Amino acid sequence: MPVALKLSVLLGVAAVVLTVAVAVSAGPLLTLDNVVASGLHTYALGHPSFVRAMQVWTDVFQPWTFRAIVIAAAVWLLWRRQVRTAAWATGTILLCGAVESGLKAWIGRARPHWTHPVSAAVGDSFPSGHALTSAAGCAVLLALAWPTLGRRSRRAWSAVAVAVPFVTGFTRLALGVHFLSDVIGGWLIAAALFAAMTLALSTDRAGQ
């Protein structure tokens, strides 16, 4: 089995296992979620400047920011007549949005509830749209830029592509609007979908 296929399957299995654990309200998972959420919320209540910084970051790096950037990149690719790559980029980010919406509706997990919330968010909790879309968006953009980057630039931009989704996911925890499993689930689902779409693109190109 090719390495790319193995990675896609592995990520898919991990995403499914976590999703099922959330859907059935697995005890150990809920305990960990609540411990992490309570600890961060307690810290946030005593540090308003921390909350403001987290809110600014989460507002800037919201899902529509990444969708807009990826779609703009796809338009540029179409102008360059790179139709398959443009379709892959657009399809990946739109598929991530569809899967996110579908899982939220199916699982219907309530967000953390606090007597004194430091932020607010609407909709269901699993998976985190911020975590999912930031991870998928950064992966797509890095993949598009990869052929044009030198070795040093690849390392730098790879670090950025990891750091941005990580911090974005953390802001959702710090602001008390998601559980840890929501964020990790978002990252895993994004990685699985990105790997599957990339494998499909590679297979399509190989077949030409």
Side-chain angles (χ1 to χ4, degrees):
M1 183 183 293
V3 175
L5 180 56
K6 289 181 180 179
L7 179 61
S8 181
V9 170
L10 180 62
L11 290 170
V13 169
V16 168
V17 169
L18 181 56
T19 299
V20 171
V22 171
V24 301
S25 300
L29 181 67
L30 295 182
T31 298
L32 177 61
D33 277 344
N34 288 325
V35 168
V36 173
S38 296
L40 283 171
H41 185 63
T42 298
Y43 181 85
L45 287 174
H47 298 81
S49 59
F50 169 75
V51 172
R52 285 193 293 271
M54 296 294 98
Q55 191 66 57
V56 168
W57 182 286
T58 208
D59 288 343
V60 171
F61 294 98
Q62 62 173 295
W64 279 107
T65 298
F66 292 98
R67 290 169 188 152
I69 295 172
V70 170
I71 290 173
V75 170
W76 179 77
L77 288 168
L78 285 174
W79 181 72
R80 296 284 299 269
R81 298 185 179 181
Q82 298 180 35
V83 178
R84 286 189 180 84
T85 306
W88 166 79
T90 305
T92 300
I93 204 70
L94 293 181
L95 177 61
C96 285
V99 170
E100 174 207 337
S101 298
L103 287 175
K104 283 181 182 289
W106 172 53
I107 295 176
R109 188 185 203 186
R111 292 179 184 271
H113 176 74
W114 310 107
T115 303
H116 302 290
V118 299
S119 185
V122 297
D124 296 310
S125 194
F126 183 90
S128 164
H130 280 69
L132 195 160
T133 312
S134 63
C138 285
V140 168
L141 294 172
L142 180 63
L144 293 178
W146 193 262
T148 68
L149 301 175
R151 180 178 299 180
R152 188 171 299 177
S153 295
R154 284 178 175 179
R155 291 175 181 172
W157 284 110
S158 294
V160 171
V162 171
V164 169
F166 179 83
V167 177
T168 302
F170 178 76
T171 66
R172 308 309 283 163
L173 299 175
L175 293 171
V177 295
H178 275 296
F179 294 106
L180 178 62
S181 57
D182 299 333
V183 171
I184 294 177
W187 290 334
L188 282 175
I189 292 166
L193 293 176
F194 173 80
M197 289 293 287
T198 302
L199 181 61
L201 177 64
S202 300
T203 301
D204 179 61
R205 285 176 172 170
Q208 298 303 312

